[in-house]
């Protein structure tokens, strides 16, 4: 999944530039404690989980197209 996240980051940077920051978090490490909102929902979602602006948005797969569309909608509503 880490490689998929890195690939997603590259694709999103091409479309959105530095406005996008993609970070992979291994939920089996202590790093997860920095995300209490995610800890509380983790038992109810399928990994991978995509979080945008600290809000869980998609789970169960990584789709650059779906995530790009969500980011585009957010950009338009600004």
């Amino acid at each position: 999944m880490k490689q998929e996240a890195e690939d997603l980051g590259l694709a999103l940077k091409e479309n959105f530039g530095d406005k996008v920051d993609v970070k992979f978090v291994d939920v089996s490490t202590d790093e997860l404690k920095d995300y209490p909102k995610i800890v509380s929902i983790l038992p109810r979602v399928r990994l991978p989980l995509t979080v945008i602006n600290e809000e869980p948005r998609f789970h169960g797969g990584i789709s650059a197209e779906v995530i790009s569309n969500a980011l585009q909608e957010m950009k338009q509503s600004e």
Side-chain angles (χ1 to χ4, degrees), residues 9-17:
L10 293 173
L12 293 176
K13 291 251 185 227
E14 285 182 21
N15 293 328
F16 298 97

Side-chain angles (χ1 to χ4, degrees), residues 22-35:
V22 174
K23 181 176 182 179
F24 174 82
V25 176
D26 185 340
V27 299
S28 66
T29 67
D30 285 340
E31 186 178 9
L32 186 61
K33 71 181 179 200
D34 295 333
Y35 304 92

Side-chain angles (χ1 to χ4, degrees), residues 2-68:
K2 186 173 184 175
Q3 184 61 50
E4 289 175 297
E6 290 173 0
D7 293 345
L8 173 65
L10 293 173
L12 293 176
K13 291 251 185 227
E14 285 182 21
N15 293 328
F16 298 97
D18 289 335
K19 293 181 180 183
V20 174
D21 182 35
V22 174
K23 181 176 182 179
F24 174 82
V25 176
D26 185 340
V27 299
S28 66
T29 67
D30 285 340
E31 186 178 9
L32 186 61
K33 71 181 179 200
D34 295 333
Y35 304 92
K37 190 178 216 178
I38 303 309
V39 171
S40 68
I41 67 161
L42 203 54
R44 300 186 309 264
V45 300
R46 288 187 2 242
L47 297 177
L49 174 66
T50 300
V51 178
I52 300 174
N53 291 341
E54 299 181 21
E55 292 296 324
R57 293 291 300 267
F58 311 106
H59 68 106
I62 294 177
S63 169
E65 182 179 351
V66 169
I67 296 167
S68 290

